[in-house]
Amino acid sequence: MKKPLAAGMALVWFLAGCATAEPWRPTVDSYGSSRAQYVHRDEHECRQLARNVSGNAPAQAARGAVVGGLVGAAGGAAIGAAMGNAGRGAAVG
């Protein structure tokens, strides 16, 4: 019981390290540029474009979890059926 708990905590700590309070901001050298006043606007437009192209990450993650669960259950059921107990195989899968 201690090993799965420790592995789960390690995973949580690893994922928490990926979350930051502020999004990453590039360093832009605008010294002597006549367009320095537009850097903030351009950065905002770039972030919006990236969000639009990448899609909705939480929805994609949820969809992936559901599909992964179904595939795991189906594979487990197939293996369980070959071994004589499809229900137990689906639960394990």
Side-chain angles (χ1 to χ4, degrees), residues 30-78:
S30 59
Y31 181 76
S33 173
S34 62
R35 302 200 39 90
Q37 61 191 358
Y38 301 113
V39 170
H40 182 70
R41 183 196 68 191
D42 291 345
E43 181 184 336
H44 177 73
E45 289 175 359
C46 181
R47 288 187 190 281
Q48 287 300 110
L49 178 63
R51 282 189 191 110
N52 292 341
V53 171
S54 66
N56 187 352
Q60 290 175 344
R63 190 175 325 125
V66 169
V67 170
L70 292 175
V71 169

Side-chain angles (χ1 to χ4, degrees), residues 76-86 89:
I79 292 171
M83 298 182 128
N85 191 345

